[in-house]
Amino acid sequence: MTNSKKIIFDTDLGGDCDDVGAAAVLCNLAKAGEAEILAASYCIGNPWGAYFLRYELDYFGFSEVPVGVLKDEGFMWEPNYAKYSKPYAERMNLAQPDMEDAVRVLRRALANNGGTRDITLVAVGPLRNIANLLNSSPDDISPMTGRELIAANVAEFVTMLGNFVKEDAVEWNVLMDIPSARCCIAEMPVPIVFSPWEAGGHIITGQRLDEVSEDHPVRAAYTLYADGKHHTRMSWDLVTVYCAVRNTTPLYRREPLHVTVNERGVTLSEAGDDMLRLVQCAPDEEIVDALNALML
């Protein structure tokens, strides 16, 4: 067993079902002793995904993990950002609690770490929560700014962001909030690891979901997302979480580079050694098998 990795997980669960798969991967790695989930945060305005995230953590046995939410009703509020989370919440009669603001949850998790720089901050959605954290001021939780809390407690920031193979492409997580992406990439005080679109875009997972009940949160999310037709999906967020926890996995290597995000949201890379990106180095089938086993 590897040493347990401290994880803070930020997600836009509700917009796409791979966030649900990624949360399951994280929970199962934590159950295996490979990760310790300190906190989770929800980074879009539509509230239904937050209820789903709370339930999924509870389902896998992590009811003690706090969940913070973005208090911004104007950001990604449309019904398509609750395509599966709302009907599942209604079907399962999930609780709809009034959750704490994401920045406060994130600041508390960092402040409680005591200045040991060993947390991996993982983000698999638009970066509004992380930008808000970076820009947060001292408060009753900590006399430190958000940037100072990150610098003192975070070992690396792993983000599903960018496209480094298609020229002039604007990856979705960037597109949804270009200013936040630019802020985080330019101002993050710890090393950044990019899990780009191409790392998981062709890795199709979910083939084993028939092994669990129809009400299992992962199976239900994948099926509802696809209007009941099937339950497989690309694996952007699953790859991100897997490689954040297993940072020495033989499935992907880390390639040094320097990244900027321009005004249009294009991720531009050049030679450098201050940032890293994930590059696949194992057959698709091996990656699919590893991820499928952690989704159940």
Side-chain angles (χ1 to χ4, degrees), residues 184-239:
C184 290
I185 303 315
E187 300 181 23
M188 184 60 60
V190 300
I192 302 175
V193 180
F194 294 89
S195 180
W197 186 94
E198 60 271 18
H202 63 288
I203 304 297
I204 308 302
T205 51
Q207 294 87 348
R208 291 183 56 187
L209 292 176
D210 283 336
E211 298 177 22
V212 294
S213 73
E214 292 183 359
D215 284 337
H216 187 289
V218 185
R219 178 174 177 176
Y222 276 57
T223 303
L224 288 166
Y225 180 82
D227 298 319
K229 298 173 184 176
H230 60 80
H231 41 253
T232 59
R233 186 67 175 137
M234 291 83 160
S235 305
W236 303 286
D237 296 350
L238 290 79
V239 168

Side-chain angles (χ1 to χ4, degrees), residues 55 59 86-95 214-217 220:
Y55 176 78
Y59 180 91
K86 185 175 187 290
Y88 184 75
E90 291 174 338
R91 183 169 99 196
M92 302 295 290
N93 195 28
L94 301 189
E214 292 183 359
D215 284 337
H216 187 289

Side-chain angles (χ1 to χ4, degrees), residues 155-208:
E156 63 181 15
F157 173 48
V158 183
T159 177
M160 194 276 113
L161 184 142
N163 186 324
F164 299 107
V165 296
K166 186 176 181 181
E167 186 176 353
D168 222 30
V170 181
E171 186 271 319
W172 193 87
N173 283 338
V174 180
L175 179 64
M176 291 299 99
D177 191 346
I178 294 173
S180 289
R182 298 189 75 201
C183 168
C184 290
I185 303 315
E187 300 181 23
M188 184 60 60
V190 300
I192 302 175
V193 180
F194 294 89
S195 180
W197 186 94
E198 60 271 18
H202 63 288
I203 304 297
I204 308 302
T205 51
Q207 294 87 348
R208 291 183 56 187

Side-chain angles (χ1 to χ4, degrees):
M1 182 183 297
T2 60
N3 292 329
S4 181
K5 202 83 167 285
K6 294 179 182 177
I7 301 291
I8 294 176
F9 180 56
D10 184 71
T11 175
D12 61 337
L13 188 153
D16 202 335
C17 61
D18 65 320
D19 295 78
V20 180
V25 169
L26 177 58
C27 287
N28 280 317
L29 288 171
K31 287 170 71 173
E34 295 186 48
E36 177 187 359
I37 311 171
L38 301 183
S41 54
Y42 175 70
C43 65
I44 66 176
N46 193 303
W48 290 99
Y51 309 145
F52 193 114
L53 176 61
R54 175 70 276 163
Y55 176 78
E56 186 176 10
L57 288 168
D58 294 348
Y59 180 91
F60 281 101
F62 296 95
S63 58
E64 78 285 357
V65 173
V67 175
V69 299
L70 178 71
K71 304 285 188 175
D72 186 348
E73 295 185 4
F75 181 60
M76 297 175 69
W77 185 260
E78 295 80 5
N80 59 298
Y81 298 119
K83 182 176 181 180
Y84 60 86
S85 54
K86 185 175 187 290
Y88 184 75
E90 291 174 338
R91 183 169 99 196
M92 302 295 290
N93 195 28
L94 301 189
Q96 300 175 26
D98 183 17
M99 298 180 185
E100 192 174 13
D101 179 77
V103 169
R104 289 188 62 80
V105 170
L106 295 172
R107 285 180 58 84
R108 187 178 297 111
L110 293 172
N112 287 345
N113 197 54
T116 303
R117 194 175 174 182
D118 57 358
I119 294 173
T120 299
L121 177 59
V122 185
V124 295
L127 296 180
R128 186 158 298 197
N129 275 342
I130 308 304
N132 288 346
L133 171 63
L134 265 172
N135 293 321
S136 63
S137 301
D139 58 9
D140 60 303
I141 295 172
S142 172
M144 302 173 73
T145 66
R147 181 185 175 90
E148 290 168 341
L149 280 170
I150 292 171
N153 293 281
V154 174
E156 63 181 15
F157 173 48
V158 183
T159 177
M160 194 276 113
L161 184 142
N163 186 324
F164 299 107
V165 296
K166 186 176 181 181
E167 186 176 353
D168 222 30
V170 181
E171 186 271 319
W172 193 87
N173 283 338
V174 180
L175 179 64
M176 291 299 99
D177 191 346
I178 294 173
S180 289
R182 298 189 75 201
C183 168
C184 290
I185 303 315
E187 300 181 23
M188 184 60 60
V190 300
I192 302 175
V193 180
F194 294 89
S195 180
W197 186 94
E198 60 271 18
H202 63 288
I203 304 297
I204 308 302
T205 51
Q207 294 87 348
R208 291 183 56 187
L209 292 176
D210 283 336
E211 298 177 22
V212 294
S213 73
E214 292 183 359
D215 284 337
H216 187 289
V218 185
R219 178 174 177 176
Y222 276 57
T223 303
L224 288 166
Y225 180 82
D227 298 319
K229 298 173 184 176
H230 60 80
H231 41 253
T232 59
R233 186 67 175 137
M234 291 83 160
S235 305
W236 303 286
D237 296 350
L238 290 79
V239 168
T240 305
V241 167
Y242 184 89
C243 292
V245 175
R246 293 181 172 174
N247 60 332
T248 58
T249 173
L251 305 183
Y252 289 84
R253 61 181 172 85
R254 295 177 168 206
E255 177 182 88
L257 78 172
H258 177 76
V259 176
T260 56
V261 178
N262 71 15
E263 295 85 351
R264 294 188 296 109
V266 177
T267 42
L268 305 172
S269 63
E270 59 186 31
D273 59 5
D274 58 329
M275 302 176 184
L276 299 161
R277 70 170 173 180
L278 299 179
V279 178
Q280 182 177 342
C281 55
D284 290 2
E285 296 78 10
E286 187 176 341
I287 299 171
V288 168
D289 287 346
L291 296 177
N292 272 336
L294 291 166
M295 294 174 68
L296 307 180

